[in-house]
Amino acid sequence: MQEGLPAAADTFPRPHYPGEPVPETSLSSRPFPWSCRTCCFCCTMASASAQAAALSAEQAKVVLAEVIQAFSAPENAVRMDEARDNACNDMGKMLQFVLPVATQIQQEVIKAYGFSCDGEGVLKFARLVKSYEAQDPEIASLSGKLKALFLPPMTLPPHGPASGGSVAAS
């Protein structure tokens, strides 16, 4: 060990494996006693999920409508148009230019409903909406409208005898 530097054990909790108890020495200074939140992915995810926003289906409809409305705000419409122009309808560039802008627009709305203001918050919101889609046709419709705002329409390759997609039986 170099002189003048603290030992790693003095400054950081000992890393542990998921499911393994957190070392006692790291528990006293943590906001969540069951999570060290600094040494491993399992603890980070556990503390994030403990703070996740829970919305009813009706609340999810309201938030979805607000998110869709946010995309039509003049400043956001300009941002999305610029991102689409930069993407030139190329899927790789859509991910590079359009998706980050769409994520930011969603973040601005969903943070008011308890979701974190980052990509993880948007993913949690998307998972929540997905969980309600099968139960509620209105949520499924709103979700489809939202996706259409930033995802290009997907065309499936043709299949069948006319397209040469079938194999002749021998």
Side-chain angles (χ1 to χ4, degrees):
M1 184 168 106
Q2 292 181 355
E3 194 174 332
L5 294 177
D10 296 337
T11 56
F12 298 105
R14 180 183 65 77
H16 60 277
Y17 296 100
E20 180 185 22
V22 178
E24 287 298 318
T25 57
S26 67
L27 294 178
S28 60
S29 63
R30 303 293 175 227
F32 300 99
W34 43 266
S35 168
C36 65
R37 296 185 62 200
T38 58
C39 65
C40 67
F41 180 73
C42 68
C43 294
T44 304
M45 294 310 296
S47 65
S49 64
Q51 299 170 346
L55 300 177
S56 68
E58 290 304 311
Q59 291 170 321
K61 287 179 198 177
V62 170
V63 178
L64 272 168
E66 285 185 33
V67 170
I68 292 168
Q69 187 176 7
F71 276 88
S72 62
E75 65 276 7
N76 290 336
V78 168
R79 290 170 62 198
M80 287 297 291
D81 288 341
E82 288 174 357
R84 282 189 198 96
D85 289 345
N86 288 334
C88 302
N89 215 20
D90 176 274
M91 184 54 87
K93 290 183 179 181
M94 294 288 274
L95 294 172
Q96 182 181 1
F97 296 112
V98 177
L99 194 58
V101 173
T103 300
Q104 289 170 358
I105 293 169
Q106 290 180 71
Q107 287 170 351
E108 292 166 7
V109 175
I110 66 172
K111 69 182 178 184
Y113 294 91
F115 291 93
S116 60
C117 192
D118 57 9
E120 183 65 27
V122 172
L123 290 174
K124 286 180 182 180
F125 177 66
R127 281 188 225 117
L128 178 76
V129 168
K130 184 77 172 164
S131 72
Y132 288 130
E133 283 179 357
Q135 305 165 25
D136 192 319
E138 188 178 352
I139 289 179
S141 173
L142 289 169
S143 177
K145 288 177 184 176
L146 175 59
K147 290 174 190 171
L149 292 171
F150 60 90
L151 294 175
M154 300 295 282
T155 55
L156 296 174
H159 293 285
S163 66
S166 65
V167 177
S170 45

